[in-house]
Amino acid sequence: MLDLILQGCFCVVGLALLMNLYAAIRGPSVIDRLLALDTMYINSIALLLLYGIYLRTSLNFEVALLIAMLGFVSTVAVCKFLLRGDIIE
Amino acid sequence: MKSLKKWWPTPIRSLFLFLVWLLLNNSVEFFHLFFGVVLAWLIPQLIHKFRLVQPGMKSPGTALRYGLMVLWDIVVANMQVVRLVVGPNKRLRPAFIKVPLDLKDNLSITFLASTVSLTPGTVSAEVSPLNAGGDEPRYLLVHVLDLADEAELIQQIKERYEAPLKEIF
Amino acid sequence: MSWLEWLVALLAVAGSLFVLLGSVALVKLPDFYTRLHGPTKATTLGLGALVLASMVYFNFVKGELNVQQLLIALFLFITAPITAHMLVKAALHLKLKTSAQTSGKQNADL
């Protein structure tokens, strides 16, 4: 039963990821796309956590943590670039 | 006492680093404990020279209550955002408002801005002027998703979030 | 299925629905500034619920001590407002258009 519910959750989060993809393609500005990509990072963490419960393994958490850090740093770096035209001042 | 200060310049930060290291490894084996202590000593030593001195916490009890209140607000107010997002776009009344700040130092303003961003309906956009020295008045630019009454919202932010932060720092 | 597993299921469903809501907001709302509200809050809350679900599952249903997930939630709750702040700052810098019904534009120099 839990497996069935988790599969339903996969579908919901997958739908969310597809909507993010649509938002990233639609734009209209660079920052809209950046926001969509950032949301995509977070949603993929959500998917990984669900998959971890589904497989009964705790190996996924380190991957999720890495994705969280990379997502944060890259989003902030691109924002910095848009603000100043330079990342490291 | 003096040598203690020299070896552990920021004890709370060292403790925090140690705990995060243990969480990261998810174990309390001897090796991880040992390496955690080494890192908790080494990292503060390395970054000590670049450190900006922040004001300490005055009342930890208030801080704890503040944290729990913010968590509760996040959950409750998200329900309102559900209604706003699912409803028709025409009904939204987005707005930029300025909230004058009474807080002076950067750390507490950072906390206030983060809280405002996490509680639904509002995102803090800008603090300006950014590097005001002394008594120059500063304000926080906030974007609101659905603004009913500007004065009431400003009042709410000041009473609910700014007042306890003033007590804490 | 025990009640703990039902709790895990409930948290997982609630979490994924909130994550979906964040993406719906991203697609549906009219301009960038309003779109930002969805991902920063609904998605963060959804992920918090999912982390709670997996904490309950691994610690109580499976019975092994596992607190690593707490770090993910902590990290996200700290970084989400910072990301939002940086994004709005960049948007204001580029003077992105707001939707017509926005009031108080003079406050933001738009």
Side-chain angles (χ1 to χ4, degrees):
Chain A
M1 188 63 194
L2 185 63
D3 282 359
L4 208 65
I5 293 172
L6 284 176
Q7 280 166 8
C9 292
F10 289 162
C11 295
V12 173
V13 179
L15 185 66
L17 273 167
L18 279 179
M19 288 172 107
N20 291 340
L21 186 63
Y22 170 71
I25 292 170
R26 183 189 57 180
S29 68
V30 190
I31 306 179
D32 282 288
R33 297 202 165 102
L34 189 57
L35 178 63
L37 276 178
D38 188 60
T39 318
M40 232 178 204
Y41 271 116
I42 301 180
N43 286 9
S44 56
I45 298 170
L47 204 55
L48 267 174
L49 281 175
L50 282 171
Y51 198 52
I53 306 179
Y54 186 70
L55 287 184
R56 273 87 177 148
T57 167
S58 52
L59 275 177
N60 284 3
F61 298 134
E62 277 162 37
V63 184
L65 209 54
L66 274 178
I67 293 181
M69 287 182 182
L70 281 178
F72 171 66
V73 171
S74 56
T75 307
V76 170
V78 178
C79 279
K80 263 285 204 213
F81 181 73
L82 289 174
L83 272 170
R84 304 276 165 88
D86 211 344
I87 296 170
I88 300 167
E89 284 159 32
Chain B
M1 197 61 215
K2 207 170 175 197
S3 67
L4 196 73
K5 195 94 189 147
K6 196 179 152 204
W7 283 91
W8 305 93
T10 47
I12 298 177
R13 180 170 307 172
S14 296
L15 189 68
F16 182 71
L17 281 169
F18 180 63
L19 285 177
V20 166
W21 181 252
L22 287 186
L23 276 177
L24 207 56
N25 280 301
N26 201 19
S27 83
V28 282
E29 278 171 41
F30 174 74
F31 178 74
H32 293 309
L33 287 173
F34 172 74
F35 208 63
V37 170
V38 170
L39 283 179
W41 169 77
L42 188 67
I43 294 175
Q45 291 285 333
L46 286 178
I47 64 174
H48 189 59
K49 276 185 187 158
F50 310 110
R51 187 170 92 102
L52 299 169
V53 178
Q54 308 284 12
M57 237 191 279
K58 275 192 216 121
S59 72
T62 319
L64 193 67
R65 225 166 341 119
Y66 180 73
L68 290 177
M69 186 189 80
V70 168
L71 273 181
W72 179 243
D73 279 6
I74 290 172
V75 175
V76 168
N78 252 302
M79 304 301 165
Q80 297 168 5
V81 170
V82 173
R83 215 186 56 232
L84 290 175
V85 166
V86 177
N89 279 350
K90 281 202 190 99
R91 282 237 304 275
L92 296 177
R93 289 163 291 180
F96 284 103
I97 60 169
K98 280 179 177 176
V99 180
L101 290 172
D102 292 336
L103 298 169
K104 288 278 178 282
D105 59 277
N106 287 332
L107 184 67
S108 44
I109 289 178
T110 309
F111 267 100
L112 182 69
S114 296
T115 315
V116 166
S117 287
L118 271 181
T119 45
T122 47
V123 167
S124 54
E126 204 165 14
V127 182
S128 69
L130 197 56
N131 290 314
D135 294 331
E136 207 178 330
R138 298 165 100 174
Y139 65 88
L140 187 66
L141 183 66
V142 175
H143 183 264
V144 194
L145 189 55
D146 185 46
L147 182 71
D149 182 7
E150 186 174 333
E152 196 188 314
L153 185 72
I154 293 177
Q155 184 72 14
Q156 198 198 342
I157 290 176
K158 287 189 91 69
E159 267 177 19
R160 205 169 162 77
Y161 302 123
E162 196 176 6
L165 278 174
K166 249 191 274 181
E167 266 180 57
I168 295 171
F169 295 106
Chain C
M1 215 157 109
S2 68
W3 67 274
L4 272 172
E5 281 182 305
W6 279 111
L7 182 64
V8 172
L10 184 74
L11 282 170
V13 168
S16 32
L17 283 180
F18 268 112
V19 165
L20 180 68
L21 182 83
S23 301
V24 169
L26 193 64
V27 170
K28 179 176 162 275
L29 291 176
D31 65 353
F32 172 79
Y33 302 98
T34 49
R35 269 178 219 149
L36 187 66
H37 287 265
T40 46
K41 293 142 201 165
T43 311
T44 313
L45 181 69
L47 218 84
L50 287 178
V51 166
L52 215 58
S54 79
M55 291 256 306
V56 170
Y57 185 80
F58 283 102
N59 286 313
F60 297 112
V61 180
K62 225 179 156 203
E64 59 186 38
L65 187 68
N66 205 324
V67 278
Q68 214 176 6
Q69 303 100 302
L70 209 59
L71 217 56
I72 302 174
L74 190 72
F75 188 78
L76 275 167
F77 270 85
I78 293 173
T79 56
I82 301 174
T83 316
H85 183 82
M86 291 301 289
L87 283 166
V88 179
K89 259 188 114 129
L92 285 174
H93 181 72
L94 297 181
K95 296 198 185 301
L96 235 59
K97 285 232 164 31
T98 57
S99 65
Q101 69 226 57
T102 307
S103 56
K105 280 181 206 172
Q106 69 281 359
N107 285 341
D109 291 329
L110 284 173

